[in-house]
Amino acid sequence: MELIATVSCTLIIQDNISVAKFLQTSLYVNTSISKPVKHYFVINQNYPLNQHSLNFKLISRYKAIPDQWIKSIKARDLSRTNQNDGILTNGASLVSSIYRKGGFGALKFITANSQYVNCGHSTSFDVTNLTICGWLYLNSTVRGGIVDKLSGTFTGYTYVFNQNGTFKQSFFTDAGGWNHSTTALTSGSWNHIAITIIGSSGTFYLNGKSDGTFSGASVTINTEDVTIGIDYSSAALDVYLDDIII
């Protein structure tokens, strides 16, 4: 999502309660998970977690909602503004047997089949201030792309898991190279992950808390497709994903 203006609000954060609706886009703070951990829809690192300002313009949202999210081979963009529907590729599918508390299912990716969603390119993705967030359930710790928009000349960005065996969130831009979160992730449980880029400054988040900061990572606009579940090098995740928001 693009950071364009400041919207002040107070968030009431309690387990299993979702509050706060912005810009008439049906975006809610999502606090439901299988463990009693508080989570936040989007976080600006300049403010406390329980009361802060939010700067955003929704680009796309991909959430596992049966009969709404999956239409034929498409993953529907639920933002209601840009309609950046994604194409389920190489057998990526919605499954209802694995879901986080409060969710309806998840999108399943299998590394061996290089499964992913291709969201294409539109001018709505042409942003330099950026937030990406979503729910991730690792089936294994194999390296792979979470959200990718990196060109062959390495302009744009890529957001991956387990770059160089770190088992962490990692983010690359041509200006800033690779940066990594603080905490290593493990398989077998849901985690809410997020990254924000404001100018050239970035912050990782894990389960509602800051998980590392970095600088010098300005994003260059390109015309590459946005993909979910695979990166520029065709490294695909072995994972369930839900509610990926850009």
Side-chain angles (χ1 to χ4, degrees):
M1 63 199 67
E2 180 184 3
L3 308 179
I4 57 169
T6 299
V7 181
S8 297
C9 65
T10 299
L11 303 183
I12 303 172
I13 307 297
Q14 295 180 350
D15 294 334
N16 302 322
I17 297 177
S18 298
V19 297
K21 182 176 181 179
F22 302 99
L23 302 183
Q24 299 180 350
T25 54
S26 299
L27 298 183
Y28 293 85
V29 175
N30 194 329
T31 59
S32 299
I33 194 173
S34 58
K35 296 192 297 184
V37 180
K38 298 180 178 66
H39 296 281
Y40 305 82
F41 163 58
V42 66
I43 304 160
N44 186 319
Q45 65 266 35
N46 297 319
Y47 298 87
L49 294 180
N50 63 340
Q51 184 174 358
H52 51 80
S53 296
L54 303 182
N55 305 322
F56 67 87
K57 175 183 177 181
L58 180 69
I59 296 175
S60 293
R61 183 183 191 183
Y62 304 94
K63 183 177 182 180
I65 303 177
D67 299 325
Q68 294 182 37
W69 196 64
I70 300 296
K71 292 293 185 183
S72 184
I73 60 170
K74 288 188 176 182
R76 290 189 61 195
D77 172 11
L78 301 180
S79 67
R80 302 182 183 180
T81 53
N82 296 313
Q83 297 182 336
N84 294 316
D85 291 349
I87 303 297
L88 302 179
T89 304
N90 296 337
S93 61
L94 176 70
V95 294
S96 59
S97 57
I98 297 293
Y99 57 91
R100 59 184 175 80
K101 189 173 183 180
F104 296 92
L107 186 65
K108 182 179 181 180
F109 299 87
I110 299 176
T111 299
N113 297 335
S114 298
Q115 296 175 349
Y116 66 99
V117 174
N118 188 334
C119 304
H121 170 74
S122 75
T123 56
S124 62
F125 288 122
D126 291 345
V127 296
T128 55
N129 291 328
L130 178 72
T131 294
I132 301 170
C133 60
W135 294 88
L136 175 146
Y137 183 107
L138 295 167
N139 291 312
S140 72
T141 54
V142 65
R143 180 192 179 280
I146 301 169
V147 175
D148 181 270
K149 201 179 191 302
L150 198 66
S151 73
T153 56
F154 296 99
T155 62
Y157 63 85
T158 189
Y159 180 32
V160 308
F161 165 71
N162 195 19
Q163 171 67 17
N164 289 338
T166 61
F167 303 105
K168 300 175 181 180
Q169 302 175 68
S170 298
F171 190 81
F172 175 91
T173 65
D174 53 325
W178 285 105
N179 289 278
H180 312 286
S181 64
T182 300
T183 305
L185 302 178
T186 57
S187 59
S189 62
W190 283 104
N191 286 287
H192 189 270
I193 58 172
I195 184 169
T196 63
I197 302 293
I198 304 174
S200 61
S201 298
T203 302
F204 292 102
Y205 293 92
L206 177 63
N207 295 332
K209 297 181 180 180
S210 176
D211 195 47
T213 61
F214 54 95
S215 60
S218 55
V219 173
T220 303
I221 292 173
N222 64 30
T223 57
E224 295 296 315
D225 291 347
V226 171
T227 58
I228 298 172
I230 201 168
D231 76 353
Y232 65 98
S233 67
S234 299
L237 290 170
D238 182 12
V239 70
Y240 298 104
L241 294 175
D242 189 23
D243 210 2
I244 300 298
I245 297 173
I246 304 171

